[in-house]
Amino acid sequence: MVSYKRLNPEDVQFSSAVLSEELRPVHEEVPVPEPEEASLLPRRPSCSVTTGLLVIGCLLLLICGGWLLGTMFWLHRPSNQQPHRPPSPASAQTPDTQVKTGVNDTAAASRRETCSLIPEAWRFDCYPERGVVVTQELCEARNCCFIPASSPSSSATRPSDRNGIPWCFYPQDFPSYSLVSINDTSLGQKGTLVREVKTYYPADILTLEVEVRHETDTRLRVRLTDPSNSRFEVPISVPAATKKAESPEYIVEFSKQPFGLIVKRSSTGAVLLNTTVAPLFYADQFLQLSTSLQSQFIYGLGEHRSTFLHDVHWNTLTMWARDVPPMEQTNLYGAHPFYLAMDDGGNAHGFFLLNSNAMDVILQPAPALTWRTIGGILDFYVFLGPDPASVIAQYVEVIGYPTMPIYWALGYHLCRWGYNTSNATWEVVKSLRDSGIPQDVQWNDIDYMDQFLDFTFDSKKFGTLPDLVKDLHAHDQRYVMILDPGISSSQVAGSYWPYDDGLKRDVFIKDAEGRTLIGKVWPGLTAYPDFSDDVTHEWWYDNLQRFHEKVPFDGLWIDMNEPSNFLDGSTNGCPSNSLENPPYTPGILGGLLRAKTVCATAQQKQSVHYNMHSLYGLMEAKASASALKRIVAKRPFVISRSTFPSQGMYSGHWLGDNRSQWRDLYTSIAGILTFNLLGIPLVGADICGFSEEPQEELCVRWTQLGAFYPFTRNHNAIDMKPQHPTAFSPLARTAMKQALLLRYSLFPVLYTLFHHAHVHGHTVARPIMFEFPKDVKTFGLDKQFLWGRSLLVTPVLEPEVDYVDGYFPAGLWYDYYTGDSLHSEGEDLRLHAPLDKINLHLREGSVTPTQAPNLTLWVSSGQPLHLVSALSDEGAASGDLFWDDGESIDTYENNLYSYILFNVAQNVMTSQVLHSNVEATYITVETASFYGVKQKPSRVLVNSQDATFTYRANQVLTVADLGLNLSQNFTISWM
């Protein structure tokens, strides 16, 4: 057990000897052991002249040695880097724990003294393996420094985080690579790195090639590869630059000995990347790269349950797709090695490591970050922004823009595990209709299947399922079903076509010996389709097509696709080799790569599962979206549990099996904000919680918040009480209905935001800091968020309150419902929030198009528009609207859309049709409201004709009965 590492109990393994002799509480202070005397001679009196001369000599040697080390360090460092490296040892305070040295221990004493001068925040872990008690002997065998963390009183680190400080860490002279040559290329530079001294991990790659590509003015790519052997690379499509950036906003510098890369922002000189802070490792199964950070404000690095802003106080985030209910400090369903970082003056930058192997990302308070992965190559991007929204747009340009969702995807979805029959499912749908509660989509979980077999339905309990789907379609509603990747392998030969045909086509993942790998999931023993093979995609389509002929489903919910396995590995276990038991295993739940999934040695078409594991959900989503396009000939709707970068091109995501608890309500906001950063804007959490009994008040508040998830679904678990809106009291039912109707009225806003996500890489649910990057108070906000740039959502996240505290950045804000104005200087304000209300505010300078809501989006989207303009103090506002048929594929790419701009200035609103399509001719603008009209007008003109109007004391001007065609330009003016 590493005594400075806080681990889950299942990660800790001790031998009996360790337990009896060496185990101590993780919070206990461990003194630095004193070295044994090197000399066997009797001790001389401490006051002897000889001893005095020796002490003076040692001091001189220490001073000279320190000067020599400092000189070497200075000579090898890049220019102007001092503020971005660990603080100079000369300025650091020596810890209280001192080590006495004997006459012959001068070198060791000098080394220990040098080690002690490295501040705790800048100590990079030299012994990261888990399940090991790191002793001084083990540490120094790696030529590393060993110093137990100082007491809280002498440490700048918070006491609660003290156990994360490495006791074994790299000295500044730890051997690394040297840059022996560097040459210019058409895209940047290419150089050779050489390591003279092997590391303590096997299969060091001693010669590397580094290639720096100046791909665009705001995007830098760096690749570190083995020039002698090809290694696994992530098989996703990324842009191929053809020429070097002409005016890059970055400066790249190199440190030759030891090798390091420094990337600076040209405009400010801010250092965005500095890999000289710790040694580079590049062994076959251990690759490590560290960098300093500009600040402690780090976001992204999904998928983890945490606050939106990550904690940099010795925080390890592990990436390896895993089936586990969301919990803190463990790897979850997806892997996204991308971070967004705020740096000086409100600027932002991003970093993306294109690697799919199991990895740890370590954040430490220097601030600094370490990437530690066990395969592939080091292929990374730096995005210059400079604002947060630009960083995400640049990242999404690399991984792929998210798909434009079909219109009904943005409606209200209802599901549960445990309807038990199709008739029971049908009754719930009817109850919502009868209550006037909008619903676009009904789902079924695995209980619809016959013995949990994919592509089947229980003919007894769900015999009326085809009729249910027909009824949904007759009411302009849609049907989505769950599919798990595990295909039953234990049915009678010839009785289950998906497995029989899969064997014939050879579509299943194989074990290390080439046999079909068999695991266990809901139907019992199962085989796993290999979605890295195009043959499997065709087999998947055929199965979906055959089932669609029986049950004409509209979308797919792909679950358990990490892939999940109720066994560890397979029914035959897994081989004992370095793929299953690598020299270093990241901090994955269960401690083994095969924990609750298939063997790492399993064989797939493109590579071993060791490399492909976290890509499984992405590849299944790609196969599913492709099949749906062919089957329904419309935009595919797919929601996936496991995700990887570029997933947004094929599917949305829900945040997994959450709980019916207030904390889960709160953490869902961080989840949806993070996935919007990661290029998957169609994201939501299970409204009211998946497991545990739902509470009425919680469900009401969750429905209000869930109405502003980009993807809105209520879902709960088997044996739990129903939690659909009509299952609660009339008061709660009414509050939920109001929240959902509010969402439906805002469909034009949401649909337009998804258009901008699809075309420009924008976020939909947006962190407040994106719009106020110079306001540091917004950097940690994750109890509020924005839709786009102007609609501020402030939900209630606590029980038994009728108010909510929210932060309002400096500026003018308007209550969405009333138009009452609020001037803020950047302050927290308490808002009235009865049970039937979620607080919404409009930011000054915005035009928001809304519609009268109805029971489905098909009906709502045909209703007249109401335009709400929130004027700035200068009387200005702007907004836009994207409109098409809502379901055809690639309408933007094929110019089958309308796009309209709205502007208000000097008491005149104008609409400008920038692109026209027949769909817009069916929509009219019926009313317009203007918040912040400072004086009552004497006259209002619509297209130069007098119009009736109303003006309220809170400075709201409303013009009704307009009847304006959306596809034609118009003006509304007042005087």
Side-chain angles (χ1 to χ4, degrees), residues 97-390:
T97 50
Q98 296 289 334
V99 180
K100 296 180 181 179
T101 58
V103 175
N104 299 322
D105 274 344
T106 302
S110 175
R111 180 177 180 81
R112 281 191 287 272
E113 178 69 15
T114 302
C115 288
S116 71
L117 296 177
I118 297 176
E120 290 178 341
W122 286 99
R123 295 177 180 177
F124 293 86
D125 198 348
C126 178
Y127 218 116
E129 288 85 349
R130 292 162 178 82
V132 179
V133 176
V134 181
T135 63
Q136 181 170 354
E137 290 73 21
L138 287 174
C139 178
E140 293 182 351
R142 293 186 171 187
N143 293 317
C144 288
C145 299
F146 183 83
I147 298 178
S150 62
S151 64
S153 61
S154 62
S155 171
T157 306
R158 297 179 302 173
S160 62
D161 298 318
R162 189 161 48 86
N163 296 316
I165 300 170
W167 291 13
C168 182
F169 54 95
Y170 301 110
Q172 291 185 341
D173 61 352
F174 191 89
S176 186
Y177 289 88
S178 299
L179 179 63
V180 297
S181 68
I182 186 76
N183 297 294
D184 290 336
T185 68
S186 60
L187 289 176
Q189 300 87 27
K190 185 177 290 187
T192 299
L193 308 181
V194 173
R195 173 185 280 280
E196 299 291 344
V197 180
K198 290 188 175 183
T199 67
Y200 43 84
Y201 287 109
D204 273 315
I205 299 170
L206 299 179
T207 300
L208 299 177
E209 181 177 271
V210 57
E211 183 181 8
V212 179
R213 300 178 183 176
H214 302 242
E215 295 197 338
T216 73
D217 289 345
T218 57
R219 185 178 81 225
L220 175 73
R221 186 179 185 183
V222 179
R223 286 169 51 86
L224 288 161
T225 56
D226 180 355
S228 301
N229 298 286
S230 61
R231 294 173 59 81
F232 177 78
E233 298 191 32
V234 179
I236 66 172
S237 177
V238 295
T242 57
K243 64 176 182 178
K244 185 177 179 180
E246 295 180 358
S247 303
E249 296 180 14
Y250 46 83
I251 299 169
V252 180
E253 297 178 355
F254 298 92
S255 170
K256 293 185 177 181
Q257 174 62 39
F259 167 73
L261 189 71
I262 301 93
V263 179
K264 298 178 180 179
R265 192 182 296 278
S266 301
S267 58
T268 65
V271 175
L272 310 183
L273 183 76
N274 181 3
T275 70
T276 68
V277 296
L280 168 69
F281 281 73
Y282 209 118
D284 182 41
Q285 291 182 270
F286 188 89
L287 294 81
Q288 181 170 286
L289 181 77
S290 299
T291 179
S292 62
L293 295 172
Q294 262 286 308
S295 75
Q296 62 182 345
F297 301 111
I298 303 296
Y299 312 85
L301 298 173
E303 178 175 16
H304 299 90
R305 173 164 152 154
S306 68
T307 53
F308 177 55
L309 172 64
H310 286 299
D311 183 2
V312 299
H313 289 82
W314 307 109
N315 184 15
T316 297
L317 302 171
T318 301
M319 297 185 191
W320 180 250
R322 168 67 193 245
D323 172 8
V324 58
M327 61 180 71
E328 284 78 5
Q329 299 180 344
T330 191
N331 50 306
L332 298 181
Y333 310 110
H336 294 266
F338 165 83
Y339 68 77
L340 169 75
M342 298 299 294
D343 49 81
D344 60 325
N347 288 334
H349 70 276
F351 184 102
F352 172 43
L353 177 62
L354 184 52
N355 185 292
S356 61
N357 289 90
M359 70 174 71
D360 281 333
V361 183
I362 299 89
L363 296 167
Q364 62 191 75
L369 180 148
T370 296
W371 299 95
R372 189 182 294 143
T373 184
I374 62 172
I377 66 171
L378 294 178
D379 182 0
F380 58 86
Y381 294 82
V382 182
F383 306 102
L384 272 289
D387 58 279
S390 297

Side-chain angles (χ1 to χ4, degrees), residues 420-496:
N420 296 322
T421 69
S422 51
N423 285 340
T425 309
W426 207 340
E427 290 302 320
V428 172
V429 173
K430 292 175 183 176
S431 74
L432 266 66
R433 288 180 195 160
D434 292 342
S435 298
I437 297 173
Q439 181 193 3
D440 264 82
V441 193
Q442 181 60 51
W443 298 40
N444 275 125
D445 208 315
I446 57 175
D447 46 333
Y448 83 89
M449 298 178 184
D450 181 10
Q451 303 176 73
F452 303 126
L453 302 175
D454 278 351
F455 310 112
T456 70
F457 66 93
D458 188 324
S459 60
K460 294 181 179 179
K461 295 181 178 180
F462 282 81
T464 60
L465 182 58
D467 297 321
L468 165 60
V469 176
K470 290 178 183 177
D471 178 76
L472 289 169
H473 290 168
H475 287 83
D476 302 317
Q477 295 173 301
R478 299 295 179 264
Y479 179 71
V480 170
M481 64 181 193
I482 195 171
L483 278 180
D484 294 341
I487 300 297
S488 175
S489 62
S490 56
Q491 305 305 304
V492 175
S495 67
Y496 185 47

Side-chain angles (χ1 to χ4, degrees), residues 909-920:
M909 165 178 262
T910 60
S911 85
Q912 184 179 6
V913 181
L914 296 186
H915 198 280
S916 184
N917 180 259
V918 65
E919 294 295 330

Side-chain angles (χ1 to χ4, degrees), residues 541 544 548 553-556 623-634 636-638:
Y541 160 75
L544 287 168
H548 190 266
F553 58 87
D554 301 283
L556 290 175
S624 300
S626 175
L628 275 176
K629 281 185 180 180
R630 295 166 66 182
I631 293 169
V632 302
K634 297 176 182 177
F637 174 79
V638 181

Side-chain angles (χ1 to χ4, degrees), residues 497-789:
W497 191 83
Y499 181 68
D500 295 335
D501 186 60
L503 283 180
K504 291 178 183 178
R505 300 200 207 184
D506 194 24
V507 304
F508 297 119
I509 293 176
K510 293 180 171 55
D511 65 17
E513 297 181 3
R515 301 167 301 189
T516 298
L517 183 143
I518 302 299
K520 184 178 181 181
V521 203
W522 294 112
L525 300 181
T526 54
Y528 295 84
D530 177 7
F531 289 106
S532 74
D533 190 343
D534 290 340
V535 174
T536 308
H537 287 222
E538 194 66 24
W539 165 86
W540 191 245
Y541 160 75
D542 288 341
N543 279 278
L544 287 168
Q545 174 64 43
R546 286 164 62 98
F547 189 71
H548 190 266
E549 292 172 357
K550 302 174 184 176
V551 180
F553 58 87
D554 301 283
L556 290 175
W557 171 19
I558 51 176
D559 192 15
M560 308 288 284
N561 54 352
E562 290 71 31
S564 178
N565 187 355
F566 294 167
L567 307 174
D568 287 349
S570 78
T571 54
N572 294 324
C574 303
S576 178
N577 58 29
S578 64
L579 289 182
E580 297 293 345
N581 303 289
Y584 174 80
T585 301
I588 58 180
L589 184 64
L592 300 170
L593 296 180
R594 61 182 176 272
K596 302 309 177 199
T597 190
V598 302
C599 299
T601 48
Q603 300 178 45
Q604 296 186 236
K605 176 70 178 292
Q606 294 191 19
S607 187
V608 290
H609 195 73
Y610 180 90
N611 295 322
M612 302 289 294
H613 172 79
S614 291
L615 296 165
Y616 194 87
L618 167 64
M619 293 184 168
E620 186 191 9
K622 186 176 182 179
S624 300
S626 175
L628 275 176
K629 281 185 180 180
R630 295 166 66 182
I631 293 169
V632 302
K634 297 176 182 177
R635 296 175 202 165
F637 174 79
V638 181
I639 293 293
S640 175
R641 189 167 75 178
S642 186
T643 60
F644 191 81
S646 80
Q647 187 100 16
M649 298 173 66
Y650 312 106
S651 83
H653 173 63
W654 97 104
L655 299 178
D657 296 339
N658 58 4
R659 298 171 178 84
S660 297
Q661 296 180 359
W662 289 92
R663 176 163 178 77
D664 291 67
L665 172 66
Y666 158 60
T667 58
S668 71
I669 298 177
I672 65 167
L673 293 180
T674 295
F675 271 91
N676 270 264
L677 266 58
L678 301 176
I680 308 177
L682 187 63
V683 59
D686 283 344
I687 293 173
C688 302
F690 174 70
S691 65
E692 302 183 11
E693 296 292 352
Q695 309 159 40
E696 180 168 285
E697 182 191 7
L698 173 62
C699 209
V700 169
R701 293 303 194 188
W702 211 322
T703 303
Q704 291 169 344
L705 171 59
F708 290 90
Y709 292 158
F711 165 59
T712 297
R713 183 185 70 162
N714 180 319
H715 177 48
N716 70 327
I718 196 168
D719 297 329
M720 297 295 113
K721 293 179 181 178
Q723 62 186 35
H724 52 270
T726 55
F728 295 100
S729 70
L731 177 63
R733 182 183 310 180
T734 299
M736 294 181 192
K737 176 180 176 179
Q738 290 175 349
L740 295 174
L741 287 171
L742 176 60
R743 176 188 179 86
Y744 275 54
S745 72
L746 289 164
F747 171 72
V749 178
L750 188 59
Y751 195 66
T752 301
L753 289 174
F754 269 100
H755 161 71
H756 288 303
H758 172 60
V759 175
H760 305 295
H762 293 178
T763 52
V764 174
R766 186 168 303 172
I768 297 176
M769 72 165 189
F770 270 47
E771 295 298 323
F772 300 91
K774 295 186 183 300
D775 183 353
V776 178
K777 293 179 181 178
T778 67
F779 287 10
L781 293 182
D782 57 8
K783 293 185 176 181
Q784 297 168 273
F785 59 95
L786 294 161
W787 265 15
R789 62 175 298 272

